[in-house]
Amino acid sequence: MINKIGSNTIRFIFLAIFQVAILNNIDLGGYLSPFLYILFIILLPFETPKWLLLVSAFFIGITVDIFSNTIGLHAFSSVFIAYARPSILQSFAPHEGYSTGSTPLTNSYGLNWFIRYSALMTIIHSLIFFYIEAFSFEFFFSTLWKAILSSVFTLILIILSRLLTVKRQ
Amino acid sequence: MYKLIRLIIKYHFFLLFVFLEIVSILLAVNFNKHHNTVYLSSANSVVGTINSKFNGISTYLHLETKNKELLKQNSDLLNKSISNYLSNIKVFDIKHDSIYSQQYNYIPGRIIQNYIYNKHNYLTIDKGIKNGVVPESGVVCPRGIVGIVSKSSDNFSNVISVLNIDLNISAKIKKNNYFGSLNWDGENINFAKLKEIPFHVDLEIGDTIITSGYSLIFPENILIGTISSFDKVKGGDFYDITVRLSTDFNNINNIYIINNLKKTEILNLTTNND
């Protein structure tokens, strides 16, 4: 348990810095803005207390917000996917259920399972983020386009980062 | 009370979710409203320092593009340097010729303000006394006449537009040289009235109207427009002619100011006559 708190804290710090220092400076045509930091929320252990899920999602969201001058937007969308996470996990659960003490990593329930789960989390996050940012449906299709492109890019980064860490293990 | 606490514990996930979302929304709304919430923005000193460090790295990565931008800006500025240009007055220098003597001098200029929505319209051009523009010079554009300079400062001039109901311009019909005076009636910016053409003159729709050259302002043969309709006014001696102006006042930019170099000589002569 202590070990898990430690590793997740390190992941929090690392992902926040990576997001703020590198990914925030990537601007490909104003459309692609990857949000790799949500990998932190995706990778929290199954048994994380629900309140801690929300609070930690809020904190990583607000941290990214402060550095990218989007106060509240990342926090809002992060808290939302943290709230949706238990239901999403349940809908993707294998027949025998999740084994106790495991984390939603690629190697626990297969790459295919991991991609479906994180794809849903990413697309929900991107849609909420970009529609709240636009704050209207006036630019409905350009916002949708932006959200889809960004979530695809985010998902690619998530899978790449998982594959890299799995090999290292 | 106990029930309430139990309820809160039971639904703590949902309630905490709602609470955190409300906090986020409030932060988002207030952040945009009050720019003095510096502590939550990148203007905060800690965040600012960290951001500027990151920025330093990315600045280095973008050096090449920045260099190109600066080079381009430099070359643009060099191109704008005054030594690259001949003065506009010199370009259109007055030529001394023993057979022909130049009467009109053209100074190129640009319109910087153009009103067409009033009855008394004026334009502003970017040439003034320093460029040799004097009041009562004619102003023309490639498509026709524009107006007459009324006032000049050192660098700018005010021009009475043809679209000014107080301006009369001496005009003539190209094919038979009958002349009259052209005046805008203040209605449509594409049409003006030509007056003082007597009934016996043979007119046709489409006849070209040009400047007469009888005033000291415009040289002869500058296009004004074409006759779009004419009418015999009952009880009068003159036609009521509507002229379609060749100049599109909605869309003029480059103009020429015409200086009459012999104006003083002619004026001296006519005043001596009196």
Side-chain angles (χ1 to χ4, degrees):
Chain A
M1 191 62 200
I2 302 291
N3 187 24
K4 273 186 180 166
I5 292 174
S7 66
N8 276 295
T9 314
I10 290 169
R11 196 181 284 138
F12 182 106
I13 296 166
F14 174 76
L15 283 174
I17 291 175
F18 191 72
Q19 177 70 42
V20 172
I22 294 166
L23 295 181
N24 274 4
N25 295 316
I26 292 181
D27 181 31
L28 299 167
Y31 272 106
L32 291 178
S33 30
F35 302 131
L36 185 65
Y37 75 93
I38 63 165
L39 184 63
F40 168 76
I41 303 163
I42 290 174
L43 290 186
L44 282 172
F46 286 114
E47 285 87 26
T48 315
K50 287 180 166 182
W51 64 269
L52 188 60
L53 200 64
L54 292 176
V55 170
S56 50
F58 179 79
F59 274 108
I60 196 159
I62 206 84
T63 310
V64 175
D65 272 336
I66 287 172
F67 281 92
S68 29
N69 275 336
T70 51
I71 287 304
L73 300 184
H74 283 296
F76 188 93
S77 23
S78 300
V79 170
F80 193 92
I81 54 165
Y83 180 72
R85 200 184 100 126
S87 333
I88 292 172
L89 278 177
Q90 208 166 25
S91 68
F92 285 134
H95 289 301
E96 61 275 22
Y98 298 107
S99 53
T100 45
S102 62
T103 2
L105 296 173
T106 22
N107 45 359
S108 19
Y109 298 98
L111 187 64
N112 189 21
W113 171 86
F114 182 77
I115 290 174
R116 278 188 297 154
Y117 158 61
S118 37
L120 193 56
M121 295 280 276
T122 314
I123 190 86
I124 293 174
H125 177 268
S126 290
L127 282 174
I128 289 174
F129 179 83
F130 284 111
Y131 276 106
I132 287 195
E133 192 206 20
F135 217 74
S136 74
F137 290 106
E138 194 186 334
F139 312 102
F140 186 85
F141 288 105
S142 72
T143 312
L144 187 69
W145 183 231
K146 225 173 172 174
I148 289 172
L149 278 184
S150 294
S151 47
V152 168
F153 196 14
T154 308
L155 190 65
I156 290 171
L157 286 179
I158 286 176
I159 294 163
L160 275 181
S161 71
R162 286 328 297 156
L163 291 179
L164 287 175
T165 43
V166 165
K167 262 185 190 166
R168 206 185 54 202
Q169 285 163 358
Chain B
M1 190 64 196
Y2 177 70
K3 267 190 177 173
L4 183 72
I5 290 169
R6 238 178 43 178
L7 210 69
I8 289 174
I9 290 171
K10 195 179 171 193
Y11 294 109
H12 77 279
F13 187 44
F14 178 71
L15 292 174
L16 187 63
F17 163 69
V18 171
F19 172 74
L20 288 176
E21 294 294 57
I22 289 172
V23 170
S24 302
I25 285 289
L26 285 180
L27 280 175
V29 171
N30 285 323
F31 181 71
N32 293 329
K33 241 188 231 167
H34 311 293
H35 292 283
N36 49 2
T37 50
V38 178
Y39 55 93
L40 275 180
S41 79
S42 56
N44 161 335
S45 65
V46 179
V47 179
T49 320
I50 299 170
N51 261 347
S52 74
K53 286 271 185 294
F54 293 151
N55 198 24
I57 300 166
S58 70
T59 311
Y60 184 75
L61 293 174
H62 291 133
L63 271 182
E64 200 189 331
T65 41
K66 291 283 170 221
N67 265 339
K68 275 183 190 159
E69 276 169 25
L70 283 174
L71 271 178
K72 193 183 171 297
Q73 201 175 7
N74 258 341
S75 69
D76 282 354
L77 285 172
L78 280 173
N79 284 336
K80 280 175 188 156
S81 146
I82 194 76
S83 60
N84 285 333
Y85 283 89
L86 289 168
S87 156
N88 282 329
I89 308 172
K90 281 185 182 157
V91 172
F92 288 80
D93 204 0
I94 299 157
K95 301 281 185 295
H96 294 287
D97 191 303
S98 52
I99 300 172
Y100 298 102
S101 76
Q102 189 180 0
Q103 192 185 353
Y104 294 103
N105 182 32
Y106 284 67
I107 303 162
R110 211 164 50 79
I111 288 178
I112 53 175
Q113 225 172 24
N114 180 13
Y115 292 110
I116 53 172
Y117 304 106
N118 304 329
K119 300 278 180 203
H120 301 83
N121 293 302
Y122 293 89
L123 311 118
T124 313
I125 54 173
D126 68 342
K127 293 286 178 289
I129 296 166
K130 279 186 179 169
N131 311 88
V133 177
V134 288
E136 299 202 4
S137 304
V139 178
V140 296
C141 73
R143 290 179 63 175
I145 57 165
V146 174
I148 296 168
V149 175
S150 65
K151 279 173 273 181
S152 292
S153 66
D154 277 355
N155 296 307
F156 298 100
S157 298
N158 203 4
V159 177
I160 308 173
S161 169
V162 171
L163 303 182
N164 187 315
I165 52 173
D166 290 342
L167 187 70
N168 287 304
I169 290 161
S170 177
K172 68 178 181 184
I173 300 160
K174 193 180 183 182
K175 67 175 181 186
N176 51 26
N177 281 336
Y178 277 101
F179 72 96
S181 101
L182 186 98
N183 175 247
W184 186 53
D185 58 0
E187 286 179 13
N188 191 323
I189 63 161
N190 293 317
F191 297 98
K193 297 282 184 198
L194 181 60
K195 292 168 193 162
E196 296 158 28
I197 302 288
F199 279 161
H200 66 268
V201 177
D202 177 31
L203 290 180
E204 256 175 74
I205 288 175
D207 282 351
T208 309
I209 309 293
I210 52 174
T211 51
S212 66
Y214 295 158
S215 74
L216 300 173
I217 296 164
F218 290 106
E220 206 182 337
N221 288 334
I222 290 178
L223 185 65
I224 294 177
T226 50
I227 295 179
S228 80
S229 69
F230 58 90
D231 212 358
K232 283 186 178 178
V233 184
K234 272 185 186 170
D237 301 320
F238 301 113
Y239 279 112
D240 177 38
I241 304 170
T242 306
V243 178
R244 172 178 275 277
L245 297 169
S246 58
T247 308
D248 181 3
F249 280 88
N250 258 325
N251 180 25
I252 29 175
N253 195 12
N254 295 310
I255 46 105
Y256 296 97
I257 303 115
I258 304 173
N259 255 348
N260 189 342
L261 303 171
K262 301 276 196 280
K263 189 192 259 174
T264 18
E265 197 180 325
I266 298 169
L267 276 177
N268 278 340
L269 195 68
T270 44
T271 38
N272 282 350
N273 278 346
D274 295 336

